[in-house]
Structure formats: structure tokens, C-alpha cells
Amino acid sequence: MTFAGQQHADALISRLGVQVDPDLLILALTHRSFAYEAGGLPTNERLEFLGDSVLGVVVTDRLYHAHPDLPEGELAKMRAACVSQRALAEVARQIELGPCILLGKGERTTGGHDKDSILCDAFEAVLGAIYLTHGIEVSREVVLRLVGPSLEAAAQSGVALDWKTSLQEACAERGLGSPVYDVVGEGPDHARRFTATVLVGGEPCGSGTGTAKKHAEQEAASQAYAAVTASP
């Protein structure tokens, strides 16, 4: 890591409030575009996978205990809001994660340091690195400190918490059957992009794109929800 890069990493550690194994931190910040251009270095995707699970467990546990009277469906919506790409990207911006991420030239020139998808993935990877360094209890403290405001906001929000669940409920109420998602992935592994189309009653009703299938599906579901609920 260069001197400037080390400065960014040190500042990030200070904002996180915990030490992180240096090698794991570098790995957490290595986007696949950088790894590809560097000749096939390991990427942060495995740590992202781990961090996503750690985040899910901590958030689910907190919601379960904080809202004992809410049904499973409402808890699922609140969790979806807290761990959405947009919400996690905002947390990443608050801790100034963007400048620390190692990106390939193409991503750098197109503003990759401030893309929701890249910020979200890197944040989850950093959580994975924290978990491997300290275990679940320290990870829990970090997650609740950083994601806590989203948990509070989720308690005040409505259908936008989880468009797929909201669309499913709206279709059921109108006797339209279950929505069906058709997802197509395009591009090389280091720049994969997904396009989702949602069918309601066999007809296309919304579409969305994203670097992950779940994000493309949520965008498609939000369009379909607006169309379905606008119908008399």
C-alpha cells in the first residue's frame, strides 16, 4: 500500500473505532476491477459474502428483540431497509469509505468511488474483515453503531422497506398471482451487471438493473408496485 493509501486506511480505522488485521483490510478494499487489472489478485467478494451474513444476523437479532409484537413480514421489511444497497452506501459515505477502495482505471474514471453498489459491497467486506479479526461481539458493536440510525428509521417507514414483499402482498390482494422475476446477467466477472424484469399475470410490469440480482429485482419490483397499485 502506498503512503497515501496507508493514510486513508489509518483514517478509516479511526472512523470504524476498531483495529482490523492489515492484510484483511487491504483485501476488503480490493474491488474486482482493480484485482483484474493487477493480473488476478484476490478480490473482496468472499469477505463481502461473510460480512453480509454477519450484518444480517446482527440486524435480525436487534429487530427481533426490539420489536417483540411485530409479525415476521414487518420484521423482514425493516431488515431489508437496513441492509439495502442504498442504506449501506450511505453508511459507507459517512465513514468516507469511498476514497479507500482500490479500483481499476475504468471504475475510477466513471466515479466508482461513489457508486452505491461498490460502496455497499466494500462496507460488507470490511464487516467481514472485522468479524475475522475480532469475532461476533465486536462486529455487533460496530454494526449497531454504524447502522443503528437505519434501524430507527426503518421502524418509521412503510412499503418502501422491501418492494418485493410489498409487490407480493399487493398482487395477492388483487388476485393477480405471484410475481415472476426474469433476471439476465451480462458482462465479465469483474463488471457483471444484472437486468431484472418482473411479470405480473404473465405481463411485464417493471424492470431494473444492478450489480447484484437482488438489487435489480428490488428496482423492478418498485416499478411494478406503482403500476399494480395505480390500477383500479
Side-chain angles (χ1 to χ4, degrees):
M1 182 178 290
T2 65
F3 178 67
Q6 187 61 55
Q7 285 184 315
H8 280 308
D10 291 344
L12 176 61
I13 290 293
S14 177
R15 292 188 292 272
L16 290 171
V18 294
Q19 290 296 321
V20 185
D21 179 277
D23 292 336
L24 287 175
L25 182 60
I26 292 173
L27 182 58
L29 298 174
T30 302
H31 186 259
R32 58 189 174 187
S33 62
F34 180 89
Y36 177 78
E37 290 184 9
L41 293 175
T43 75
N44 65 1
E45 292 175 358
R46 281 170 52 84
L47 280 177
E48 175 201 340
F49 170 77
L50 177 61
D52 177 71
S53 296
V54 171
L55 178 68
V57 167
V58 172
V59 168
T60 302
D61 180 75
R62 173 50 65 93
L63 290 173
Y64 180 87
H65 288 98
H67 303 281
D69 298 326
L70 287 183
E72 180 270 343
E74 292 303 309
L75 292 175
K77 287 184 180 181
M78 293 171 69
R79 180 178 60 191
C82 297
V83 301
S84 71
Q85 177 176 280
R86 181 176 300 176
L88 296 183
E90 283 306 310
V91 174
R93 290 187 181 98
Q94 291 168 13
I95 61 173
E96 300 178 38
L97 183 58
C100 305
I101 303 172
L102 301 173
L103 296 174
K105 182 178 179 180
E107 286 290 358
R108 291 199 306 271
T109 57
T110 57
H113 287 107
D114 196 47
K115 288 182 180 178
D116 281 1
S117 58
I118 291 176
L119 289 169
C120 170
D121 291 349
F123 178 67
E124 290 180 332
V126 168
L127 292 181
I130 291 172
Y131 172 77
L132 290 179
T133 303
H134 295 288
I136 191 62
E137 290 308 320
V138 171
S139 300
R140 184 190 310 276
E141 185 275 326
V142 173
V143 168
L144 293 179
R145 176 160 43 83
L146 297 179
V147 183
S150 295
L151 288 168
E152 295 301 321
Q156 310 299 322
S157 299
V159 297
L161 291 176
D162 181 0
W163 289 114
K164 289 185 67 176
T165 299
S166 296
L167 176 61
Q168 177 79 29
E169 293 171 349
C171 289
E173 290 170 0
R174 292 162 175 79
L176 298 174
S178 296
V180 176
Y181 294 85
D182 180 22
V183 184
V184 177
E186 297 179 317
D189 288 344
H190 68 279
R192 197 77 168 154
R193 193 157 189 83
F194 296 90
T195 300
T197 302
V198 59
L199 307 176
V200 175
E203 297 294 327
C205 201
S207 63
T209 61
T211 57
K213 290 171 63 176
K214 61 183 179 181
H215 300 142
E217 289 176 346
Q218 284 286 346
E219 184 178 332
S222 70
Q223 291 185 13
Y225 180 85
V228 167
T229 57
S231 302

